Amino acid sequence: AGGAWGSRGMEAAAGSCRAALPAWWGLLRGLLLAVLAAGCCRGNSVERKIYIPLNKTAPCVRLLNATHQIGCQSSISGDTGVIHVVEKEEDLKWVLADGPHPPYMILLDGNLFNRRVMLQLKGTSRVSGLAVAIAKPSPPQGFSPGLKCPNDGFGVYSKDYGPQFAHCNKTVWNPVGSGLSYEDFDFPIFLLEDANETQVIKQCYQDHNVPREGSVPEYPLCAMQLFSHMHAVTSTVTCMRRSSLQSTFSINPEIVCDPLLDYNVWSTLQPINSSGKVDPEKEVIIVATRIDSHSFFWNIAPGAESAVSSFVTHLAAAEAIHKASDVHSLQRNIMFTFFQGETFDYIGSSRMVYDMEKDKFPLRLDNIHSFVELNQVALRNDSILWMHTDPVSRMNESVEVQVRNLLGILSNSSVGANVTLQEAGYSQPLPPSSFQRFLRARHIPGVVLTDHKTAFQNRYYQSMYDTPENIRMQYPEGLSPEEMLEYVTDTAKSLAEVATVVARALYRLAGGANNTSAIQADPKTVSRMLYGFLIKMNNSWFQSIIKPDIKGILGDVPQHYVAVSSPVNTTYLVQYVLANLTGTVVNLTKEECLNPEKTPSSEKEMYEYAWVQGSLDPNSTSRVPYCVRSTVHLSKALSPAFELRQWGSTEYSTWTESRWKEIRARIFLVASKELEIITLVVGIAILVFSLLATYFINAKADVLFSIPRDPGAVAY
């Protein structure tokens, strides 16, 4: 009886084991999936072993206007090619004809980055992309990817107004301009900003891609992959229409491009009601300059001569004139204006004129007494500053009288200074300038101050080489960042002299009768601004004058591209520097400063209030914040074409920037096509074998994993 019970017990146990097999097999498969998942989680470490990312790069992106697309893009999955280093034009022969492994990714020496070479590469399918190494020193012959006639067609001169001056017929302002920024390339182009990364690429090329003893280099080869696929195509008209349709009919619209936009910065010497209207009989002198620049590569726009030299001089002049004791009793008011987006067909100035015409701005065009614009002023020859006027409007007798008065005051203000002002000539047209947009609307007496009589002195206009070195900024060796901030360079002294002359002239124009010797621009302030706007934004002075909630804008390397997100760093900093230099510190608490409408004496409609970080307390690591009251305001710098939905406009700027998903670059070793195919076939074979093996094992699991019966067991 006992033996029979034992036999039945063993059979029951064996049956129970067989019943448990599917569950056991499921557990095994679960463990295998867990291992695979862990492998996927560790995939990024495998990727790091295969690829070397290039982290310090700047892409060429796609911009669009009413009729064209310009810039560069990659395919949707990125473009790949074998690296070939081109350091002289003879090296191009390998890429364009001889090399056996096309397509190629070219590492191009900065001195060869010119229109002639680029058009050769544009016309071949053997090139998949380009990485440009910055030339050091800057190309001695100059380099400007901008147009020879900047903003052509959007200034004042046309077939109806001064046709003899239209399209730069009289003067080619930027003779070095190659127009490269306005070409359309169907392959990606990146700028290599880090010399160390450039050297890594060259070393990889030397190790793997250089032909040995005349033989063709063998696999594996060093390759590069660039990702910069752009969503917008054809023109602003096309991309804005697509974006508009998406916004209208889609719950999750996919916007493909955005208008270039930001804010203009403006303030007045005497406070005005920013939400009201200036009395029609009140005259205002406008002082203007641009604050944006551009280059071939996205957000690489140092703009030392093309923008920074002028707006720093403008800021210094604004500070200097505020020192005059009788500024609040002057006959005429002065408006200090800093325009954004001027590089792209006068976005900022055209918007301000539009707002004045539509009564959307405190001033009207009729309030403007005269116009003084600071253009490129840092590269003067023999300390001469040239005064440019419009010969067409001066044919009007009343305008001529006012222009003559304006020129006389400017010239007299330079007496005794190290700056000589000379008239460029009655028959000389205006250079590219914001003043031209105001002249399109009304004959206004005005002058544009520049360091050039005809063609630009700046050989690096709208390029990555328009750096502090271009305006001869030099510092002694061994200075700390704080010492560089305070060091007064010769460039700062020179621009301070220009600011002094301009400030004294503005005082006279506004009706000031006192001695102007007290009106003096501070070279130390100019030095601080040049350092902050050209070398390092994240410095102690800028930290002390901005609001705590925007301290994140202080990046290391300043760039002055207008972009599509606003306000950009430059706009914020010009706003707070101007407030610091022309405003006053008021005794208000943080709560009162942030909510001035609650304080009866604040005159909120006349002033702006800002609670700024302040300097570090010498005895601690905390700051001493304070409240600044100023007349500094922001106004929108978005082309009227987008307000009016006239995306094909020829009257206003229509520039947009394409959106993209990712921008990145990396290098790696690539195997031959044959090896890749063999690897793929073997991998597929292993996969098929694994699937078949898994299927058969699963199908025969009850046989393969069953427990055999004990032959010694006998049932009775």
Side-chain angles (χ1 to χ4, degrees), residues 617-628:
D617 190 323
N619 301 319
S620 71
T621 56
S622 61
R623 295 185 176 274
V624 183
Y626 56 91
C627 186
V628 174

Side-chain angles (χ1 to χ4, degrees), residues 196-501:
N196 292 328
E197 288 188 343
T198 303
Q199 191 54 45
V200 167
I201 298 171
K202 287 183 176 180
Q203 189 60 53
C204 186
Y205 167 79
Q206 291 288 338
D207 293 343
H208 299 279
N209 296 10
V210 174
R212 307 295 178 189
E213 300 175 357
S215 62
V216 173
E218 298 181 357
Y219 288 99
L221 297 172
C222 190
M224 183 185 295
Q225 190 172 30
L226 302 178
F227 297 84
S228 62
H229 181 67
M230 300 288 130
H231 294 173
V233 295
T234 309
S235 67
T236 289
V237 176
T238 301
C239 78
M240 289 299 293
R241 183 176 65 243
R242 289 177 178 174
S243 296
S244 178
L245 288 171
Q246 284 275 337
S247 300
T248 304
F249 297 107
S250 175
I251 298 175
N252 298 307
E254 184 178 336
I255 307 301
V256 296
C257 68
D258 301 283
L260 296 182
L261 64 97
D262 203 77
Y263 287 89
N264 298 322
V265 182
W266 63 276
S267 74
T268 52
L269 189 63
Q270 301 162 1
I272 62 173
N273 187 340
S274 60
S275 59
K277 292 288 180 290
V278 173
D279 292 338
E281 66 276 6
K282 183 65 176 177
E283 293 183 321
V284 179
I285 301 159
I286 291 185
V287 195
T289 191
R290 68 165 56 180
I291 57 175
D292 69 298
S293 187
H294 179 45
S295 81
F296 186 88
F297 298 99
W298 183 75
N299 206 30
I300 300 295
E305 161 72 339
S306 60
V308 177
S309 69
S310 55
F311 75 69
V312 162
T313 304
H314 189 170
L315 289 164
E319 180 194 32
I321 199 170
H322 273 78
K323 295 176 181 177
S325 57
D326 58 339
V327 289
H328 292 289
S329 60
L330 292 176
Q331 177 186 351
R332 301 182 184 96
N333 204 348
I334 301 173
M335 186 169 96
F336 305 98
T337 314
F338 301 81
F339 292 121
Q340 260 288 15
E342 295 300 273
T343 302
F344 295 96
D345 299 336
Y346 306 118
I347 293 174
S349 55
S350 63
R351 179 53 186 260
M352 184 171 283
V353 172
Y354 174 83
D355 286 345
M356 288 181 175
E357 290 177 322
K358 302 297 181 183
D359 279 343
K360 296 180 179 180
F361 195 78
L363 266 67
R364 301 177 180 87
L365 290 169
D366 292 339
N367 292 116
I368 301 175
H369 169 267
S370 53
F371 199 104
V372 178
E373 180 170 352
L374 286 162
N375 213 305
Q376 303 178 79
V377 295
L379 298 176
R380 304 192 306 280
N381 282 334
D382 301 323
S383 298
I384 297 175
L385 205 59
W386 296 97
M387 300 181 290
H388 298 263
T389 57
D390 172 41
V392 180
S393 61
R394 289 181 67 178
M395 293 178 184
N396 180 297
E397 188 176 342
S398 64
V399 173
E400 168 66 11
V401 171
Q402 293 177 77
V403 169
R404 279 288 164 202
N405 179 57
L406 176 57
L407 294 173
I409 289 174
L410 281 164
S411 297
N412 292 334
S413 298
S414 67
V415 174
N418 291 327
V419 180
T420 304
L421 274 78
Q422 293 186 15
E423 189 177 352
Y426 186 85
S427 61
Q428 178 78 19
L430 287 169
S433 52
S434 306
F435 180 39
Q436 292 199 31
R437 290 301 302 193
F438 284 80
L439 281 175
R440 284 177 71 129
R442 184 174 178 271
H443 282 178
I444 298 170
V447 63
V448 178
L449 301 177
T450 73
D451 56 19
H452 55 89
K453 182 178 181 181
T454 53
F456 295 163
Q457 297 276 20
N458 186 6
R459 294 174 299 144
Y460 305 107
Y461 182 74
Q462 289 185 7
S463 90
M464 55 194 170
Y465 300 113
D466 191 6
T467 57
E469 291 76 19
N470 186 33
I471 59 172
R472 307 176 188 128
M473 278 180 63
Q474 295 179 335
Y475 294 91
E477 293 287 340
L479 293 185
S480 66
E482 198 64 27
E483 290 169 334
M484 291 177 71
L485 175 66
E486 302 295 336
Y487 182 81
V488 179
T489 62
D490 290 339
T491 302
K493 294 175 185 176
S494 174
L495 293 180
E497 290 167 354
V498 175
T500 297
V501 170

Side-chain angles (χ1 to χ4, degrees), residues 468 473 475 484 529-537 556-558:
M473 278 180 63
Y475 294 91
M484 291 177 71
M529 290 191 285
L530 288 174
Y531 180 81
F533 285 113
L534 286 175
I535 296 176
K536 189 177 183 181
M537 279 187 169
D556 279 336
V557 182

